[in-house]
Amino acid sequence: MRPINRQPFNRFALLATAALLLSACAGNPTDPDTPPADAEPLAEGEIVQRVATPNPYLADTASVPAAAQQAMANARAYFEQQQFDAAETELQQVVAQWPVLSGAWLNLAKVQLKLDQPEQAEKSLQQAVAANPKNVFAWNSLGVLLRDQGRFDEAQQAYESALKQWPDFAVGHRNLGILFDLYLHQPEQALHHYREARALEPEPDRVLAGWIMDLERRL
């Protein structure tokens, strides 16, 4: 099975100080088969790179109380030391006191998954997107969780919610492409999202390019 992109648990800043950092480059999604009228025809399989628009979640900065920042730093340290119970305790205290901090809910879900608590993690991710619908990382993580549970239609909705907030979310396109390709068996939809992801990646991705070539041959 093809590898799934998951964001690492690497930053406990909230809202725009966003819990987890992903690298996502971007551009305005368009129909990849329809170049501008004055453009040179593309060779088969050629992808045009596009310029990213800002991630609305990271752009929408908000101040985080110093106490919350300290608790999240503590949780990060516990997580890195694989002390997941202690990390969960810290983050539960954060979300109890500051429930509007979307990134804290997202990081709590990451810890709960490490503790093999998928139901609690799903609830935390739902809280994350309720607190801030712009949190594309939370939408993406929710999509992965739902997909792994075989809830493919709900996973599709989560990925599409992320892309509605930020159409330039390369990881969202990639994971939605994987869902269409391997789980929903809709190769044309998969190819579209693979092409979108490839156009938004900062560096050439041989694995993704291989998936695109494979689908182009089959279609």
Side-chain angles (χ1 to χ4, degrees):
M1 184 175 293
R2 295 170 184 162
I4 308 301
N5 281 325
R6 301 170 184 262
Q7 291 92 24
F9 186 103
N10 62 357
R11 197 180 278 195
F12 282 79
L14 274 305
L15 206 216
T17 102
L20 306 168
L21 263 204
L22 278 195
S23 278
C25 280
N28 298 319
T30 57
D31 181 347
D33 294 321
T34 309
D38 58 351
E40 291 293 327
L42 296 180
E44 182 178 356
E46 184 177 351
I47 304 293
V48 176
Q49 297 301 116
R50 299 199 300 276
V51 177
T53 58
N55 180 334
Y57 175 62
L58 297 181
D60 186 14
T61 58
S63 62
V64 178
Q69 293 183 32
Q70 183 59 58
M72 289 186 289
N74 294 341
R76 179 179 60 192
Y78 286 133
F79 189 91
E80 291 173 348
Q81 297 165 13
Q82 299 187 21
Q83 297 181 32
F84 303 126
D85 288 322
E88 183 185 26
T89 297
E90 289 284 347
L91 289 169
Q92 288 284 14
Q93 292 173 353
V94 172
V95 298
Q97 190 166 356
W98 298 283
V100 298
L101 294 180
S102 177
W105 287 108
L106 172 56
N107 282 334
L108 177 58
K110 298 286 184 178
V111 173
Q112 289 166 331
L113 288 173
K114 287 291 187 181
L115 292 170
D116 194 22
Q117 299 173 358
E119 291 183 5
Q120 293 91 325
E122 182 180 344
K123 291 178 182 178
S124 294
L125 290 170
Q126 294 286 4
Q127 290 283 356
V129 298
N132 187 348
K134 296 179 183 179
N135 190 341
V136 295
F137 306 136
W139 283 118
N140 181 70
S141 293
L142 181 59
V144 172
L145 176 61
L146 294 169
R147 184 211 64 210
D148 288 349
Q149 294 177 352
R151 296 157 62 184
F152 303 140
D153 290 341
E154 293 174 81
Q156 179 181 342
Q157 292 172 10
Y159 292 138
E160 289 176 345
S161 293
L163 293 171
K164 180 179 179 180
Q165 294 295 330
W166 187 29
D168 296 349
F169 189 22
V171 172
H173 281 293
R174 186 185 185 107
N175 279 342
L176 185 53
I178 290 169
L179 183 71
F180 279 126
D181 189 3
L182 301 183
Y183 299 91
L184 298 178
H185 308 295
Q186 298 181 33
E188 291 184 357
Q189 292 277 17
L191 180 58
H192 168 73
H193 287 287
Y194 285 161
R195 284 172 170 168
E196 289 294 303
R198 178 64 191 88
L200 301 170
E201 292 286 356
E203 300 292 337
D205 184 327
R206 289 189 175 185
V207 173
L208 188 54
W211 299 349
I212 291 170
M213 290 179 63
D214 177 57
L215 283 178
E216 286 176 339
R217 289 195 202 98
R218 287 194 274 142
L219 292 173

